[in-house]
Amino acid sequence: MAARNGKRKIRYAVVGLGWIAQETVLPAFAQTENSQLVALFSEDQLKREELGKQYGVKAYCYEDYDDCLKSGEIDAVYIALPNHLHCDYTVWAANAKVHVLCEKPMAVTEQECEQMIRAAKDHNVKLMIAYRLHFDRANMQAVEIANSGKMGDPRIFNSVFSQQVAEGNVRLEPISNGGGTVYDMGVYCINAARYLFRDEPNEVFAFSVSKSDKRFDEADEMTSAILRFPGQRLANFTSSFGAGSASSFQLLGTKGNLQMDSPYNYVGELKHKITINNETQEQSYAAGNQFAAEITYFSDCILNNKEPEPSGEEGLADVRIIRAIYQSAQIGQPVQLGEFKRQHRPSAKQIIQRPEAESPDLIHAADPSGKS
């Protein structure tokens, strides 16, 4: 572990230098006090050269992953690879006793998630899934409001999360490879429903549709799902790669409702509108730097030997639901979910605020819509 100003810092390698890593993860380290970026991994030579120089760190190709893990020069990896590679690169790191912060969705299948959890446990390393909203003030305050009793009994959750995704983007990989709207965007809606209801769904019913567009030859353009929760509560959402950019949810209770604009965003403002007994209050929250927050938290777990939440089990909880949603859409029937227990739920205790970072210039990367 590196030490600066007498304080230990967790040394990270960021694995995968696509849009999300360049736009948000790499700049986030400057907003942490206990974490240090020391290495990068990419198959793209220009990315390695330019970004290695920009951040003053070593840059490796994937063939060097094993050597780097065993070098003693890194303590943790941030995995920002395509979904179907999450499992292999996590297990690889865990086997080398290197801690893992892995982007969501955790993996493609439940079996992969379980393999990742087992590898971390067997080698006594920390594994956390990068649910940045678990550290966000706006979302965690929504959790507090939902569970305060002011809205009565939470009964209905509705959400939409959509964007236009450019042809050739990795998100349009086949669903069997972890592509598709539910793995990429629906996971936010599913996770929000779970942390607001503080429970696990027991049944799902879904439809996937795609218009005539070669972008959607192998991935869904749009999926809508209904999740039945215990207590006869319902959550529904639509995730889309073929509609204008939108992000919102609404939670309705027996005495009022909470609406959030841009709840899943990591820049700008996240807004609450709470209506109880026909009286409405509005509040805005700065997104801050959610990536710096989650990295800071994970490093603290390593330094102080605490078990991180959101854990591998939290990642598994969502992946099992994603799989059931796509199964339901394929067979045109509801799909029952087996019992799944979670002892831990995110709350306001985990809020960490960090100042928003400036967007850097991107190297051979573009946002999902194709803008570089």
Side-chain angles (χ1 to χ4, degrees), residues 227-294:
L227 285 60
R228 184 203 297 268
F229 280 79
Q232 300 303 315
R233 295 170 293 172
L234 294 177
N236 65 78
F237 73 87
T238 298
S239 52
S240 174
F241 285 161
S245 181
S247 166
S248 65
F249 74 59
Q250 183 178 29
L251 180 70
L252 294 94
T254 52
K255 296 180 181 178
N257 72 85
L258 165 65
Q259 292 177 267
M260 273 195 74
D261 291 332
S262 307
Y264 313 126
N265 289 18
Y266 61 83
V267 294
E269 289 188 328
L270 287 68
K271 300 177 181 179
H272 282 185
K273 180 188 285 187
I274 307 160
T275 303
I276 299 171
N277 297 326
N278 296 320
E279 291 187 8
T280 299
Q281 294 182 333
E282 298 186 24
Q283 186 163 354
S284 294
Y285 301 83
N289 194 321
Q290 299 166 357
F291 292 85
E294 67 184 0

Side-chain angles (χ1 to χ4, degrees), residues 5 23 55-56 71 78 112 129 136 180 216 225 261 270 302 308 332 334:
N5 302 323
E23 174 78 10
Y55 289 96
S71 69
Y78 190 116
E112 287 182 343
I129 310 305
D136 170 64
F216 310 120
D261 291 332
L270 287 68
I302 297 169

Side-chain angles (χ1 to χ4, degrees), residues 32-331:
T32 69
E33 66 279 357
N34 60 2
S35 312
Q36 181 183 358
L37 179 64
V38 298
L40 307 172
F41 280 86
S42 176
E43 63 184 358
D44 186 313
Q45 183 178 350
L46 182 63
K47 288 182 181 180
R48 293 197 303 269
E49 291 176 356
E50 293 293 323
L51 294 170
K53 187 187 308 179
Q54 181 179 337
Y55 289 96
V57 300
K58 294 182 179 179
Y60 300 92
C61 54
Y62 295 126
E63 288 79 5
D64 298 323
Y65 189 57
D66 192 58
D67 289 340
C68 181
L69 291 173
K70 294 175 179 176
S71 69
E73 295 180 0
I74 63 171
D75 306 304
V77 291
Y78 190 116
I79 294 178
L81 292 163
N83 299 336
H84 70 281
L85 297 174
H86 287 185
C87 180
D88 287 348
Y89 278 78
T90 293
V91 171
W92 208 339
N95 288 345
K97 299 188 182 303
V98 171
H99 305 286
V100 180
L101 177 51
C102 181
E103 263 301 338
K104 63 192 170 307
M106 181 177 180
V108 179
T109 67
E110 301 98 312
Q111 291 76 20
E112 287 182 343
C113 294
E114 289 163 353
Q115 189 179 346
M116 294 161 72
I117 293 167
R118 189 164 53 248
K121 193 170 293 183
D122 288 349
H123 296 281
N124 195 31
V125 301
K126 309 296 184 192
L127 169 62
M128 183 173 122
I129 310 305
Y131 287 98
R132 55 185 168 80
L133 298 180
H134 289 203
F135 307 95
D136 170 64
R137 184 174 298 278
N139 276 274
M140 292 305 100
Q141 289 293 349
V143 168
E144 297 299 305
I145 293 165
N147 290 278
S148 68
K150 294 177 182 177
M151 294 173 52
D153 179 25
R155 302 294 301 154
I156 302 167
F157 172 88
N158 294 313
S159 188
V160 173
F161 198 13
S162 64
Q163 63 181 329
Q164 286 287 352
V165 173
E167 184 179 350
N169 189 279
V170 67
R171 291 161 180 78
L172 299 171
E173 286 278 309
I175 291 168
S176 60
N177 230 20
T181 70
V182 187
Y183 278 107
D184 186 64
M185 304 183 79
V187 65
Y188 287 90
C189 310
I190 293 166
N191 199 255
R194 290 178 51 245
Y195 61 63
L196 289 166
F197 280 153
R198 306 192 83 65
D199 214 335
E200 302 300 323
N202 47 38
E203 186 177 20
V204 304
F205 192 20
F207 292 96
S208 292
V209 297
S210 296
K211 60 186 176 184
S212 181
D213 186 323
K214 60 182 179 181
R215 285 183 295 168
F216 310 120
D217 285 348
E218 297 182 294
D220 56 307
E221 177 209 344
M222 177 165 57
T223 292
S224 289
I226 301 173
L227 285 60
R228 184 203 297 268
F229 280 79
Q232 300 303 315
R233 295 170 293 172
L234 294 177
N236 65 78
F237 73 87
T238 298
S239 52
S240 174
F241 285 161
S245 181
S247 166
S248 65
F249 74 59
Q250 183 178 29
L251 180 70
L252 294 94
T254 52
K255 296 180 181 178
N257 72 85
L258 165 65
Q259 292 177 267
M260 273 195 74
D261 291 332
S262 307
Y264 313 126
N265 289 18
Y266 61 83
V267 294
E269 289 188 328
L270 287 68
K271 300 177 181 179
H272 282 185
K273 180 188 285 187
I274 307 160
T275 303
I276 299 171
N277 297 326
N278 296 320
E279 291 187 8
T280 299
Q281 294 182 333
E282 298 186 24
Q283 186 163 354
S284 294
Y285 301 83
N289 194 321
Q290 299 166 357
F291 292 85
E294 67 184 0
I295 292 168
T296 298
Y297 170 83
F298 187 56
S299 294
D300 182 65
C301 288
I302 297 169
L303 289 166
N304 294 292
N305 194 27
K306 297 186 295 188
E307 288 306 310
E309 282 293 342
S311 64
E313 284 78 11
E314 180 74 358
L316 170 60
D318 282 341
V319 168
R320 67 191 285 272
I321 297 166
I322 293 169
R323 297 277 288 175
I325 285 170
Y326 277 127
Q327 181 186 355
S328 174
Q330 185 175 28
I331 65 175

